[in-house]
Amino acid sequence: MTTLWPRLEPLLPRVSKPARYIGCEDGMQRPTVGPHLTSWLLAYPDTYEIGLPNQGLQILYELLNERPDASAERTYAPWIDLEAEMRAAGLPLFSVDTHRAADEFDIIAFNLSAELVYTNVLNCIDLAGLEVRSAQRSDADPLIGAGGHCAYNPEPLADFVDFFVVGDGEEVVSEITEAVGAWKRTGKRPGTRATILRDLAGIEGVYVPAMYDVAYDGPAVAAVTPKYPDVPAQVAKRTVADLAEWPYPRRQLVPVTEVVHDRLSVEVFRGCTRGCRFCQAGMITRPVRERPAAQVREMVTAGLERSGYDEVSLMSLSTADYSGIAELVRDTVTGGNITAGEAGGTSDTAGGAGASNTNGADANRISVSLPSMRVDAFTVDVAAQVSRARRTGLTFAPEAGSWRLRQIINKLITEEDLYGAVRSAYSQGWHRMKLYFLTGLPSEMDPDTEAIAHLADACTRIGQEYTKRASVTVSLGGFVPKPHTPFQWFGQNPPEELARKVRLVRSALGRNRRVQLKWHDPAASTAEGIVSRGDRRVGAVIEYVWRKGGTFQEWSERFDLGLWEEAMAACGLSLDWYVYRHRGPHEVLPWDHIGAGLHRDFLWHDWQDALAGHGLPDCRWTPCYDCGACTEYGIEHMVASPVAPNGGSQGTGQDLATGHMVPVELRPRQLAGAGAPSGNGA
Amino acid sequence: MAHDALGPGAGAEMQCRSHPRGWEMSLRLRVRFSKVGKIRFIGHRDVARVTERAVRKVGLPVAYSQGFSPRMKLSFGLALPTGYESDAEFVELPLVADAVRDPSAAEPGARHAAGPVIAGRSGDHAPCEHGPPSAAPSYCTVAEALSEALPMGMDVSAVTLVDGRGPSLQAAVHSCGWEFDIVGLDATAAAKAVADFLAAGTVVTERVHKGETVSSDIRPSVEVLQVVGCSDRGAVLSAELSATPRVVRPSELVPALAPALEMGIARRTHQWTSGAAGRAEPAVPAVCAQRHKEPISG
Ligand code: SF4
């Protein structure tokens, strides 16, 4: 093992944010290497500050390093300034842990959280000194793996990545470690790369693109077929049945420089069955698996004490839906008190409310953030408590402007829910908030789009009852249909249409100075659309864009749709075919050979129901409608409460009007000096 | 024993011991720490963040600001440029009123006999102490506990108690001591460059300030400059540069000393204030404060 640090160090004074490249996090591991260890380089193909907080990557980092037969380090995409220095100095991609060269690892595994990072994946493989195309790499080269939500349509990266992991990674990395370890011990002899790939293809949840032939019928995919009888025709996702068995990360990485989510994160449940039809995350992570509340408390207490953080985020796709969220939040806040109090240690927190603290005020400063709060959960009480935390932004996501359209996307939030939440926020001292909407949704008509402006306008009028400074930021995202959702057949709006809808909202807002309009670049939605539902032929487009210097396409200052259009033309592919047209019921979809657990029939029927304006209930609290996620896997929801916390399960006829009475309570943060005599004595 | 380590702030301790009620006065812990190795690449705001977390991990009873969004009231000395190393960084932590217990109330163990005791998460701490590093697994001093809680390369070399009403460190520091090397400069050339520099009446160099190139005469800011050795990169120079009216950095000297060459690594060795008996440092490292963690930089 050789560290590249002495060669990297002189380059760092010349680049922006050099702390991106030093590692040094609390929780960083310094694994050893050896012939008996399968070494993984876990790569996040975007900048350090975006990639470091990624929980999936951190979980695998710990799990692998706990194994006696594996080691894991991390790498992130170097920003363009360092990349230029590295290329000039002949310095390859390196791990941030021991600054070892990427090509010394057995496996380089990428986390795919967004489509526009794909050109960075190619760039990282190239910076590692490897051929970007799998077929051209040699036997002893590292295997390139990938996982994460985008791996549910692996085809656009199929020519570059040796294997994909579909679904939860906790268990499958063990099997991969063992297979690759066995191969490593045989010396990775010439001609054996195909053998290890075939072995990997035999592991449940692992997709090896080289083991499949793709047949085309003109622009359409005719079939994707395994090359060998032992290779599965459809790769089914892996699902961890019980989150309680995986209390990770135990030692969350605490960075020494600023990152996008700089706080403790504890995953309280995985999966979501609200059934929002645009939401890929909700569809592919079913069923709902809650972490037991006692374990959450333990992870929060231990995590805060270890990290020194004063803020914890209770993570999930919709945290207000967690069974017993009120008790959990209360225990979290009081738990923080006890932990840092003079009692020390990790005593049980149940009796901790109101415990005074001889240490002064620091221990009272644990703030809890609940991401993905539904508006029907944001009550005056919640607003009052959250407002005491150091929380700058408040975002609500009605997603669509009209009730009609919200029924179509199955986001059953009433206007009253929204206004109630907004009123709560203004009444508790907020001056501004952000409302997030999608445009270009199926069946969206101009009145639906304009309704966005009306909602925003009504919100500012509510705000003016409380403050003259009341304002609202409306953020518009262009809808990109995602694989494995009911909307996967929908033809995406072209950028001109998305831009027109932005103008529509703007003119409907008139001269309302209290509403600030922001929108995601419609051109970026188009590029995302190419990759999101692309097939294997789109790989050439990604390579073209990368070769023309199109890295960091997630960054607006680096994004260039012209490059993507040029690449599509050069590869003879049509934007209309890949992005804008509606797809038919019998068409082979490029990701049909990847199983997300959802019956294709279910998705199609839900698509038809959507167009008919029918809602779909949440199967946590109403009978199973057999989408496939549980029934195909012999697993079930793991939910502690049989009752919907919001008092209503959408589409079930339960009373949604009272659905916003969520019993969430946060304890006020005590002000400085509380619990101890005042700071300046008297 | 402990008072030997207390530097100029020791007066606060003495005063308080003779006037027990004085413990209710506003007191600060003044902490001297290093920043060497890989960690030299984090910025000033990052240092503040990791220090805050370290203080919370140790559970030190620091005061928070009042108001809507209470913050830990840390105050640092002069900012260190990102990429520079240092043996002489300072931070002051204002303590809550009942944080420091009268030493007479402390348990009569030898460890605590000689100084005030500060309550922390893992038990009570003395600000600093002499003698060989403790072999005990728990950290008996604030210095050790903080060093353990801080990232690799940031280690605490002194902790003193000072009166909270004194001037801010930032305002008190009038000059800094530095050591830096110049890549590819040999000792002979370095000696001549230094001699020429010191002989010159004015030395005008350019630097970029807020996007504009500014030239100024840095000669008056250079109080001491000498060659002190050689690193594997080149000659090592030591300098004392004034911090008023503005802080002059070692990198500003390099164009004048060796126009074609680059600075290697610079390390701040001292921050000087004026004390009653001439210049003094805000806190002087104790003998026991050896680094218990080695920086990972080569
Ligand atoms: S299989 Fe049934 S219970 Fe499971 S997620 Fe699908 S609809 Fe819900």
Side-chain angles (χ1 to χ4, degrees):
Chain A
M1 165 185 140
T2 47
T3 174
L4 297 172
W5 177 253
R7 290 173 60 198
L8 173 65
E9 190 176 17
L11 307 182
L12 292 185
R14 300 178 205 158
V15 305
S16 58
K17 302 188 182 176
R20 286 166 165 167
Y21 310 109
I22 62 172
C24 294
E25 303 90 351
D26 190 1
M28 181 186 91
Q29 316 222 11
R30 302 171 58 75
T32 51
V33 288
H36 60 293
L37 293 175
T38 303
S39 57
W40 292 70
L41 181 61
L42 304 174
Y44 194 94
D46 208 323
T47 59
Y48 177 84
E49 56 271 30
I50 293 175
L52 184 281
N54 185 276
Q55 293 288 295
L57 193 147
Q58 292 201 25
I59 290 169
L60 300 185
Y61 179 67
E62 269 187 48
L63 281 175
L64 288 165
N65 279 318
E66 278 178 12
R67 288 182 66 91
D69 61 350
S71 70
E73 301 192 29
R74 297 160 295 127
T75 191
Y76 306 87
W79 187 247
I80 48 173
D81 54 358
L82 182 64
E83 182 195 339
E85 296 281 351
M86 286 164 66
R87 290 193 186 274
L91 191 71
L93 185 71
F94 53 84
S95 71
V96 297
D97 306 82
T98 65
H99 294 96
R100 197 150 65 98
D103 72 348
E104 289 183 24
F105 290 81
D106 298 316
I107 300 167
I108 304 176
F110 288 91
N111 178 295
L112 304 178
S113 300
E115 289 88 354
L116 289 183
V117 302
Y118 287 5
T119 55
N120 281 12
V121 172
L122 270 58
N123 201 41
C124 286
I125 299 174
D126 182 64
L127 272 173
L130 304 169
E131 294 285 349
V132 293
R133 290 196 166 255
S134 314
Q136 288 164 15
R137 288 194 286 268
S138 53
D139 287 277
D141 284 341
L143 292 162
I144 306 295
H149 286 183
C150 292
Y152 279 87
N153 177 19
E155 290 306 284
L157 285 178
D159 289 339
F160 315 103
V161 170
D162 294 309
F163 70 91
F164 291 87
V165 166
V166 186
D168 297 335
E170 280 91 342
E171 294 166 342
V172 70
V173 291
S174 297
E175 292 148 53
I176 296 170
T177 295
E178 280 157 22
V180 173
W183 175 58
K184 184 179 187 178
R185 284 189 295 277
T186 65
K188 300 185 185 180
R189 287 193 312 275
T192 58
R193 196 172 175 94
T195 318
I196 177 63
L197 290 176
R198 186 130 163 215
D199 289 350
L200 291 174
I203 298 174
E204 202 188 320
V206 176
Y207 170 61
V208 179
M211 299 290 133
Y212 295 78
D213 286 319
V214 184
Y216 299 99
D217 178 7
V221 174
V224 180
T225 32
K227 287 180 181 165
Y228 310 102
D230 53 319
V231 173
Q234 194 191 48
V235 176
K237 73 166 178 182
R238 292 294 286 261
T239 301
V240 169
D242 187 356
L243 224 50
E245 288 173 20
W246 304 97
Y248 292 91
R250 291 181 203 269
R251 293 173 52 76
Q252 182 183 316
L253 289 162
V254 184
V256 290
T257 188
E258 194 164 14
V259 297
V260 290
H261 300 293
D262 205 4
R263 62 182 79 92
L264 183 69
S265 292
V266 175
E267 187 183 25
V268 297
F269 67 86
R270 203 173 284 181
C272 176
T273 42
R274 285 279 175 185
C276 301
R277 290 170 172 134
F278 55 87
C279 178
Q280 188 194 38
M283 291 289 162
I284 61 180
T285 59
R286 295 173 170 218
V288 172
R289 290 145 290 155
E290 289 189 353
R291 190 183 295 288
Q295 188 177 58
V296 172
R297 281 199 295 267
E298 208 177 289
M299 289 174 74
V300 169
T301 308
L304 289 173
E305 179 168 310
R306 201 205 113 247
S307 65
Y309 277 131
D310 61 351
E311 185 178 356
V312 56
S313 180
L314 302 174
M315 306 278 290
S316 76
L317 290 170
S318 180
T319 296
D321 285 343
Y322 184 79
S323 302
I325 182 70
E327 295 78 13
L328 175 62
V329 172
R330 190 196 65 214
D331 290 354
T332 301
V333 176
T334 56
N337 278 340
I338 291 258
T339 306
E342 65 173 3
T346 54
S347 51
D348 183 49
T349 56
S356 77
N357 181 342
T358 57
N359 261 0
D362 73 308
N364 296 321
R365 283 168 214 291
I366 303 305
S367 51
V368 179
S369 72
L370 308 175
S372 322
M373 280 284 275
R374 289 169 60 92
V375 298
D376 43 10
F378 196 84
T379 60
V380 175
D381 266 5
V382 175
Q385 307 312 331
V386 172
S387 70
R388 290 165 182 267
R390 252 176 285 131
R391 193 177 164 141
T392 48
L394 191 57
T395 303
F396 297 122
E399 312 281 2
S402 68
W403 173 248
R404 187 195 78 83
L405 197 52
R406 288 197 295 276
Q407 280 178 299
I408 284 167
I409 64 176
N410 209 41
K411 178 112 190 182
L412 302 177
I413 305 282
T414 64
E415 263 173 55
E416 290 68 37
D417 289 335
L418 175 65
Y419 297 151
V422 165
R423 185 175 293 280
S424 305
Y426 282 120
S427 71
Q428 294 304 318
W430 265 276
H431 299 302
R432 63 165 46 230
M433 56 209 65
K434 193 163 155 186
L435 302 177
Y436 185 80
F437 296 92
L438 287 168
T439 57
L441 288 163
S443 91
E444 180 174 341
M445 292 178 292
D446 288 357
D448 299 309
T449 316
E450 285 159 347
I452 293 173
H454 303 147
L455 279 186
D457 191 54
C459 290
T460 58
R461 266 184 281 114
I462 293 172
Q464 276 168 275
E465 295 173 28
Y466 297 93
T467 168
K468 284 204 187 76
R469 290 196 282 153
S471 72
V472 161
T473 300
V474 168
S475 179
L476 302 178
F479 174 57
V480 178
K482 294 291 162 86
H484 305 283
T485 66
F487 289 171
Q488 63 183 350
W489 288 279
F490 174 66
Q492 185 177 327
N493 281 190
E496 306 75 45
E497 174 64 8
L498 291 174
R500 189 185 71 83
K501 283 172 173 155
V502 172
R503 287 195 301 273
L504 210 57
V505 176
R506 194 164 52 192
S507 70
L509 284 170
R511 261 175 295 177
N512 189 340
R513 294 240 165 272
R514 300 180 180 280
V515 181
Q516 209 197 347
L517 188 63
K518 288 185 174 169
W519 59 93
H520 186 64
D521 180 5
S525 301
T526 301
E528 208 183 313
I530 296 170
V531 184
S532 167
R533 293 183 298 159
D535 57 31
R536 216 171 260 210
R537 290 169 295 194
V538 166
V541 174
I542 295 166
E543 185 173 352
Y544 185 100
V545 172
W546 165 64
R547 287 200 186 278
K548 293 273 181 166
T551 55
F552 289 103
Q553 295 294 286
E554 283 272 289
W555 295 67
S556 55
E557 74 261 39
R558 302 269 310 152
F559 177 75
D560 181 2
L561 180 61
L563 210 47
W564 291 87
E565 289 171 337
E566 184 186 316
M568 288 293 278
C571 299
L573 303 180
S574 138
L575 268 172
D576 183 59
W577 177 265
Y578 278 90
V579 185
Y580 306 138
R581 76 190 167 94
H582 296 303
R583 302 189 186 201
H586 305 297
E587 184 174 340
V588 173
L589 300 170
W591 52 91
D592 274 347
H593 58 298
I594 303 298
L598 305 154
H599 297 309
R600 202 179 132 132
D601 279 358
F602 157 74
L603 291 175
W604 179 261
H605 282 129
D606 202 39
W607 171 223
Q608 299 306 306
D609 282 352
L611 294 176
H614 296 316
L616 184 69
D618 188 321
C619 57
R620 252 171 300 190
W621 306 295
T622 58
C624 167
Y625 45 78
D626 189 17
C627 74
C630 309
T631 36
E632 292 290 292
Y633 284 81
I635 52 175
E636 290 183 345
H637 290 306
M638 300 263 294
V639 186
S641 164
V643 189
N646 289 13
S649 170
Q650 44 196 23
T652 58
Q654 292 181 41
D655 186 3
L656 282 164
T658 59
H660 61 273
M661 294 302 290
V662 181
V664 174
E665 282 171 27
L666 294 117
R667 210 162 150 266
R669 311 170 92 236
Q670 282 179 265
L671 295 177
S678 132
N680 290 315
Chain B
M1 304 209 319
H3 56 269
D4 291 333
L6 290 185
E13 188 221 6
M14 298 310 293
Q15 183 185 13
C16 296
R17 288 173 75 183
S18 49
H19 305 283
R21 286 172 59 92
W23 287 116
E24 288 171 21
M25 290 190 327
S26 130
L27 287 174
R28 298 183 206 153
L29 269 186
R30 180 179 288 169
V31 177
R32 178 179 180 138
F33 62 97
S34 64
K35 188 184 176 199
V36 296
K38 291 178 180 177
I39 206 74
R40 72 187 171 98
F41 289 109
I42 72 172
H44 191 60
R45 276 154 46 89
D46 296 331
V47 169
R49 249 189 303 273
V50 299
T51 307
E52 258 186 53
R53 286 198 303 260
V55 168
R56 276 197 295 268
K57 278 198 271 187
V58 175
L60 291 177
V62 299
Y64 277 71
S65 64
Q66 305 281 336
F68 188 70
S69 193
R71 306 288 319 181
M72 210 182 272
K73 292 194 286 186
L74 303 184
S75 56
F76 287 86
L78 292 175
L80 184 71
T82 303
Y84 280 38
E85 293 193 325
S86 179
D87 293 327
E89 294 308 289
F90 297 94
V91 60
E92 287 187 348
L93 321 170
L95 299 172
V96 298
D98 65 346
V100 183
R101 295 179 196 163
D102 187 316
S104 62
E107 288 178 20
R111 184 173 293 159
H112 290 156
V117 175
I118 295 166
R121 171 177 290 164
S122 53
D124 289 345
H125 302 290
C128 198
E129 65 177 15
H130 275 204
S134 165
S138 67
Y139 296 94
C140 62
T141 66
V142 172
E144 286 175 342
L146 271 179
S147 289
E148 182 60 21
L150 284 166
M152 185 96 69
M154 287 174 69
D155 289 288
V156 173
S157 56
V159 178
T160 65
L161 267 176
V162 297
D163 186 330
R165 294 164 306 185
S168 83
L169 272 177
Q170 218 157 348
V173 173
H174 62 66
S175 68
C176 298
W178 299 94
E179 265 184 31
F180 59 100
D181 55 5
I182 298 177
V183 181
L185 185 67
D186 65 47
T188 325
K192 180 174 185 313
V194 166
D196 290 350
F197 188 102
L198 293 174
T202 57
V203 179
V204 176
T205 58
E206 289 184 341
R207 74 199 153 95
V208 179
H209 179 66
K210 293 187 179 161
E212 281 178 32
T213 306
V214 191
S215 37
S216 57
D217 178 14
I218 56 167
R219 180 62 191 87
S221 300
V222 181
E223 292 164 30
V224 178
L225 181 64
Q226 61 195 54
V227 182
V228 291
C230 231
S231 74
D232 50 5
R233 287 179 293 264
V236 179
L237 282 69
S238 126
E240 189 180 329
L241 308 178
S242 68
T244 50
R246 69 173 187 90
V247 178
V248 174
R249 302 173 175 193
S251 60
E252 294 175 45
L253 273 58
V254 176
L257 293 167
L261 301 179
E262 278 186 17
M263 191 176 76
I265 298 178
R267 181 186 290 222
R268 177 144 68 192
T269 53
H270 305 278
Q271 293 192 47
W272 296 110
T273 59
S274 358
R279 71 176 193 177
E281 288 194 273
V284 181
V287 184
C288 69
Q290 294 151 347
R291 268 181 216 118
H292 65 280
K293 292 179 293 183
E294 281 304 310
I296 37 188
S297 167

